[in-house]
């Protein structure tokens, strides 16, 4: 068993990206899941939907599958390390891609080659922005949201990242 399935303990390395770093990658990748090509939606937009339609579009702070709408898993963008950090991949923008929470969970510490996956081309931000601009405009028109830490934090990051992208 040890010869067939040797255990090599992966090195544990902290992830060092901010919300602004993540947004820069989401914008760079055009809010497209780089493993499937599917368009993704800026997560705070989904949270706003849950606020407006709590029964139809429930949210759970721990994303529990039995309490949170599946769209959070399928449509929320997150960063993934193309080459896992545990396998020596860099923890920086050259090794980060936009993907859904679902695909990120499936990929885990596997390589693309091991999964038979490949990177799809970048999305075109002019065709799809993940509803990022809509979110910024909506929050600016609903100042009560700008008072809530979650929305305020993401609004600030979204405005900054969008301005840098222009």
């Amino acid at each position: 068993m040890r010869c067939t399935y040797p255990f090599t303990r992966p090195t544990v390395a902290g992830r060092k990206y901010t919300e602004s770093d993540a947004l820069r990658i989401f914008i760079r990748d055009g809010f497209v899941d780089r493993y499937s090509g599917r368009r993704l939606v800026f997560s705070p937009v989904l949270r706003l939907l849950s606020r407006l339609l709590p029964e139809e579009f429930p949210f759970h702070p721990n994303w529990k599958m039995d309490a949170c709408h599946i769209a959070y898993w399928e449509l929320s963008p997150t960063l993934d390390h193309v080459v896992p950090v545990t396998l020596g991949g860099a923890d920086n923008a050259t090794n980060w891609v936009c993907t859904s929470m679902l695909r990120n969970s499936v990929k885990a510490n596997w390589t693309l080659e091991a999964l038979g996956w490949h990177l799809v081309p970048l999305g075109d931000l002019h065709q799809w922005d993940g509803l990022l601009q809509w979110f910024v405009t909506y929050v600016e028109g609903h100042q009560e949201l700008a008072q809530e830490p979650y929305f305020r934090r993401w609004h600030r990051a979204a405005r900054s990242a969008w301005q840098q992208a222009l």
Side-chain angles (χ1 to χ4, degrees):
M1 181 74 146
R2 289 182 184 169
C3 294
T4 307
Y5 295 105
F7 178 73
T8 305
R9 186 172 305 280
T11 57
V12 177
R15 305 308 185 259
K16 300 176 186 82
Y17 56 84
T18 65
E19 290 159 343
S20 294
D21 293 332
L23 269 168
R24 279 191 289 280
I25 301 303
F26 301 161
I27 288 169
R28 178 199 72 190
D29 290 2
F31 279 89
V32 165
D33 184 321
R34 294 294 306 283
Y35 300 138
S36 72
R38 187 174 191 178
R39 290 179 172 179
L40 302 174
V41 177
F42 186 43
S43 297
V45 170
L46 298 176
R47 289 282 296 271
L48 281 172
L49 284 173
S50 290
R51 170 176 280 205
L52 298 169
L53 305 165
E55 294 300 315
E56 297 84 358
F57 202 75
F59 171 74
H60 188 277
N62 297 325
W63 292 39
K64 291 177 116 179
M65 294 293 278
D66 63 343
C68 191
H69 198 284
I70 190 65
Y72 279 95
W73 287 87
E74 292 181 350
L75 299 177
S76 289
T78 189
L79 291 185
D80 184 52
H81 295 85
V82 177
V83 178
V85 172
T86 57
L87 299 178
D91 187 28
N92 62 44
T94 65
N95 191 37
W96 296 334
V97 293
C98 180
T99 190
S100 69
M101 289 295 290
L102 184 62
R103 282 188 180 74
N104 195 346
S105 296
V106 169
K107 182 176 170 286
N109 288 321
W110 297 95
T111 64
L112 297 182
E113 295 78 22
L115 294 170
W117 292 7
H118 65 280
L119 288 176
V120 300
L122 298 172
D124 181 349
L125 195 62
H126 299 291
Q127 291 182 2
W128 178 249
D129 72 353
L131 298 173
L132 181 71
Q133 286 184 14
W134 177 87
F135 172 77
V136 169
T137 303
Y138 189 86
V139 171
E140 289 171 357
H142 296 81
Q143 285 301 307
E144 70 280 6
L145 292 172
Q147 303 307 312
E148 295 182 34
Y150 175 82
F151 292 115
R152 180 177 57 240
R153 189 175 68 242
W154 278 109
H155 178 260
R156 187 177 307 129
R159 280 186 42 199
S160 176
W162 186 258
Q163 289 170 351
Q164 291 175 7
L166 297 177

